[in-house]
Structures are given as C-alpha cells and as structure tokens.
Amino acid sequence: MRKLEQLGFDNTFARLPDIFHSRLHPTPLPDPYLVSFNTNAAPLIDLDSAETQRADFAEYFSGNRLLPGCEPLAMLYAGHQFGHYVPQLGDGRAVLLGEIKNSAGEYWDIQLKGAGRTPYSRNGDGRAVLRSSIREYLCSEAMHGLGIPTTRALCIVGSDHRVYRETAETAAVVTRIAPSHVRFGSFEVFFYRGQNQLLAMLADYVIAKHFPPLMDAPDKYSRFLDEVVTRTATLMARWQAVGFSHGVMNTDNMSILGLTFDYGPFGFMENYDPGYICNHSDPAGRYAYNQQPQIGLWNLACLAQALTPVIAMEDAEAALQNYGPAYAKHYTELMGQKLGLAHASKEDDTLINTLLEMMHTSQADYTNLFRGLGNFNSAPGEKNTALRDQFIDRTAFDAWSESYRARLQREQGSDEERKIRMDKVNPKYILRNHLAQTAINKAEQGRDFSEVDRLLKLLQDPFSEQPGMEDYAATPPEWARHITVSCSS
Ligand code: AMP
Ligand code: MG
C-alpha cells in the first residue's frame, strides 16, 4: 500500500488531443475537513488507509493540493437531457485528477466532484453540496454492496464554504473513482459537430483501454456497440430487480462501461409502485421506475446514432435489436432468483407479475417483502401467515402461494437451502431516503459524521443480518414522507 505521493498515475485520457478536455486546476476550498473515508475502496488505487491520519489529507481531496503525477482536467461531452440534445455539457464541476494504474494493472480514474468552476460550468457554481455528496458516496457503495456495477467513492471532504441551492448549504467534494468516466454523451458531442475523426479516435481509445479483445477485429466498432448494449440491458435489469430508480437518465449520465453513473435524485423504491418517480424535478415521470428499461434503449439509440460515422446503419440497428431480449432474459433470471428459482424462464413471468401486482395493491415494501419471502414454508396446507398478512387480498395471496408452492416443487433442495440462496439476492438493507437524510442532518448540524460511516458499513454488506441494526431495515417513519429529492445538488 502506498503513500499519497507514491500513487502510480498513468493519465491516458490526458494524452488525447486538447479538444477532448480542458486542463485546469481545482478551485481551492477553504478549510477542508475529512467527512468520511471508504477503506474498502482504498486498495483499488493501492492507497494506504493510514494516510487519512495526515494533517494534509483533506488538502489533497479538496483539490487544494495536487497529488504528484496528476494532470487535472475537465472532460468534454454533450448529451440528451430529458429528451433534448444539449450540444455542450462537459464536467461543469468535476475535475479528473488522472488515472491510477494499480499494482494489479487496473486503471482507476480519480475524479473530484464539486471541485469548482470549469469552462463547461455554464451558470453553475462548480460546487456540490454536502447533502448530495453524502448521497452519492453512500449510494455508490450501497450499489457495489448489492453487486450492481457502479462507479465507486473514496472519500468526502467538507468545508464551511457556503453555496446556494434552494437554501444556503455547505460545499463538499466527493472523490469518485471508476475505470472510466466516458459516457454516451462523450461520443454524441463529436457526432453532432461532424467531427468524425475525433469520434473514431475516442472509440479507438475506449476499445483499446476497456475492450482490448476487440482491438484487431474488422468490425470492432459494432462489436463495441454490441457490448455496450448488453451491459446496459444487464444494468437496467439489475436496477429493476433491486427497485432502484436513477432519476436522471440523460445520455451524459450513461456510462460506456454499463456502470451506474452520476448519483443525483436517485431513490430506492419502498412500497412497490411501478410508476414511482424519485426525482421531484421530473413531474412527467420520463425517468419513472417502470420507464427505465425503455429509456436505456432510447439512450442506446442515441449512442448508436452517434456511432453511425463508423458503423453501418444495419449493424447499429442489429445491435439495438439485441437489447429487448437481453434485458428480458436477465430480468426474468434475476426475479426468479429473488423467488428462489435456480432457472427462471418466460413461463415464470406470470408468477412474478402476479406477485408484483399484489404487492402494488397492498403497497407492500418491495425490499422487505422479498426478504420475507425467504421464509416461505412450502409444506402443503401451510398458510404462511406472516407473509399473508402483508397482502390486502388474502384470497389472492392463497392462490398465488399455491402456484408458488407448485413451482418450488420443481426446484432442488429444502426450504432452508432456498432461504440461504434467497437471502443472498434479496437485500435486508437498502439506502432508504430517510436513512440518508438522518445521516445528512447529523453531518450538517453538528459536524457529526458517525452516521455516514455507520451507513457506509451497513450498506457494504446488505445481505447479512447485522445484529442491532434491525431498525435500519424498517419502512420509513412518518416524517420521511416530506423528504423531496430534486435535481438540485
Ligand atoms: P447532472 O445533472 O448532475 O448530471 O449535471 C448535468 C450537467 O450540469 C453537467 O455538465 C454538470 O457538470 C453540470 N452541473 C451540475 N451542477 C453544476 C454546478 N453546480 N456547477 C456547474 N456545473 C454543474
Ligand atoms: Mg452528470
């Protein structure tokens, strides 16, 4: 493990022509202090966690001091926001310090989010508030704990520096780490400007770095698109299965590697509601929970179009055709696993959908209902009262449990074994809005970051029963009804 001065930077994105980015230094943040450090992520960049003890640690992760070897820059990109093309976005408040090549040979981008204004800031102040930084930090690690591809977070640094959103808040910087920050919009910007050579250069760069087996293929660009289609379809299936809503699925927030990317007004669904909208700034529900799979495809169509200078139209269309089947297959498999079925197929869709419909009518908590389903007793005549009582229509539940029982008979193993399997896919703990809000309130009011650390630890292990933490699995308290989450961050 290394000291801060010894991190092994190898900045490949900075080697691309200047048009790909703007070189700049982060804007200093007054009197930064460490809010939380994620010891689980430190080994990814070979960083010795003991370095957090240094008095100057927060100076580096606020951007006040630069790590030796970094070459800070803001990345250029464009994107479709809520269905409309915006020709120039780019990192308006994030600074990519560089890429660390770790001892295993993996590359990790180190990005400071909230590091001040850049040439792409438009009217923004370049900052991120503590509230949204805590949410991103916790949620990205929660997603990782759930086994869902995502960017990671290393630490949060705070400051008393004031920034203004709906009210005055304080600024923070979250250090995001990811194999790449290239997004669909990174390609769109060159397509819409007609800069086909730059487009091909970016595609070559991404393929060489992230999809090396494709490098020498004659059809490398279309196979690259195939790969992004598959990864995105898989990611959408995983979001749906866990009840995660991203909130702002603009193409600039879509990772080329199929990672969950850019956490803003996200939400985990609590009572099951397919039309769930987590983002207060999206009243029309363009990015509602049940829209996500088709928005994934819509976004891929934007990427495919952007790649048409290097891919034949029919190949682009063929790649997109794979999305629906890939999504459906993966979703059914995941939902089957949630029901304890080793191999679910299309025939199980009725079983799954009927359960979901009953959950909807009964406003059942999505996470807790599935976790509780692990206790289903498949003995004939067994009423499963604890579960049954969670449904309004008990007769419907009885009918459903008969079909479930029949289906389980075709599975191997006992109820006990099934519960063990189910507990590995049905989390006990998710980042409920009220949990995040409690941690935020403590952090904002008394510089008390203990709750952030506690949640981080809890959510990194969401499938285990954690003694003493049962309250964290409870449905939201009354006051949580008033929490609104919007694009303001
Ligand atoms: P987001 O919705 O967070 O993905 O951001 C969309 C675009 O707005 C990106 O180009 C961001 O860099 C930019 N942006 C968001 N907030 C700010 C801010 N406070 N200052 C400058 N740019 C911002
Ligand atoms: Mg974004």
Side-chain angles (χ1 to χ4, degrees), residues 141-426:
E141 289 306 297
M143 293 297 264
H144 180 69
L146 291 164
I148 300 173
T150 176
T151 58
R152 304 289 303 275
L154 180 70
C155 62
I156 309 177
V157 164
S159 163
D160 290 339
H161 177 70
R162 295 210 148 218
V163 288
Y164 298 89
R165 299 293 183 261
E166 277 82 13
T167 57
E169 299 189 48
T170 58
V173 173
V174 58
T175 299
R176 182 155 73 180
I177 61 178
S180 171
H181 282 81
V182 175
R183 31 193 110 219
F184 292 10
S186 311
F187 288 91
E188 290 178 279
V189 69
F190 295 131
F191 170 72
Y192 282 90
R193 290 180 182 178
Q195 294 171 323
N196 295 351
Q197 270 189 319
L198 296 172
L199 180 84
M201 194 182 285
L202 179 63
D204 287 336
Y205 168 79
V206 169
I207 291 169
K209 191 164 176 214
H210 303 288
F211 304 91
L214 303 185
M215 255 162 76
D216 298 320
D219 54 350
K220 59 182 173 179
Y221 300 122
S222 68
R223 287 178 59 188
F224 159 60
L225 179 61
D226 286 337
E227 187 66 39
V228 185
V229 168
T230 310
R231 289 191 188 201
T232 307
T234 311
L235 183 69
M236 291 307 115
R238 286 176 172 271
W239 284 2
Q240 297 309 104
V242 81
F244 175 78
S245 270
H246 180 283
V248 197
M249 287 178 68
N250 294 334
T251 56
D252 51 302
N253 290 337
M254 295 294 291
S255 150
I256 211 73
L257 300 180
L259 309 171
T260 312
F261 192 17
D262 230 2
Y263 292 84
F266 64 82
F268 281 90
M269 193 159 58
E270 299 195 293
N271 55 306
Y272 180 71
D273 173 11
Y276 170 59
I277 302 169
C278 59
N279 179 4
H280 197 68
S281 320
D282 180 23
R286 177 179 170 86
Y287 298 137
Y289 168 76
N290 59 1
Q291 300 301 305
Q292 297 187 128
Q294 71 189 57
I295 289 289
L297 177 60
W298 194 92
N299 289 343
L300 283 163
C302 293
L303 175 65
Q305 184 186 34
L307 289 171
T308 47
V310 294
I311 301 182
M313 192 63 91
E314 39 308 355
D315 292 339
E317 277 164 12
L320 295 175
Q321 293 289 333
N322 291 331
Y323 178 86
Y327 169 78
K329 180 169 172 289
H330 209 72
Y331 176 76
T332 302
E333 260 168 33
L334 290 171
M335 294 308 287
Q337 287 166 13
K338 289 178 81 64
L339 288 167
L341 311 178
H343 296 290
S345 67
K346 244 189 122 26
E347 288 123 60
D348 295 310
D349 282 353
T350 313
L351 189 70
I352 297 165
N353 291 335
T354 309
L355 176 64
L356 292 177
E357 279 159 29
M358 294 191 313
M359 286 169 64
H360 188 200
T361 344
S362 304
Q363 302 210 348
D365 184 85
Y366 183 76
T367 302
N368 291 352
L369 197 292
F370 272 106
R371 183 78 178 185
L373 196 62
N375 298 318
F376 185 85
N377 183 335
S378 68
E382 171 62 49
K383 281 259 174 258
N384 284 294
T385 317
L387 201 57
R388 189 174 187 261
D389 286 351
Q390 295 181 51
F391 294 96
I392 292 171
D393 186 345
R394 308 274 154 90
T395 324
F397 174 78
D398 291 339
W400 181 84
S401 57
E402 274 316 306
S403 4
Y404 185 38
R405 182 173 290 129
R407 179 62 182 85
L408 287 178
Q409 277 173 357
R410 306 208 325 259
E411 293 288 313
Q412 309 257 314
S414 63
D415 278 358
E416 289 71 28
E417 285 161 344
R418 178 173 47 79
K419 177 175 165 55
I420 292 170
R421 276 203 319 274
M422 287 171 75
D423 281 358
K424 287 183 186 152
V425 293
N426 292 322

Side-chain angles (χ1 to χ4, degrees), residues 77 81 89-93 121-122 124-127 165 248 252-253 262:
Y77 53 85
Q81 296 194 310
L89 293 163
D91 289 331
R93 56 171 168 174
S121 296
R122 296 172 293 159
D125 60 6
R127 291 300 182 189
R165 299 293 183 261
V248 197
D252 51 302
N253 290 337
D262 230 2

Side-chain angles (χ1 to χ4, degrees), residues 34-56:
L34 185 61
V35 170
S36 182
F37 181 78
N38 177 13
T39 47
N40 283 7
L44 300 175
I45 57 165
D46 297 336
L47 176 63
D48 183 352
S49 292
E51 287 288 274
T52 56
Q53 302 306 316
R54 288 168 53 159
D56 59 358

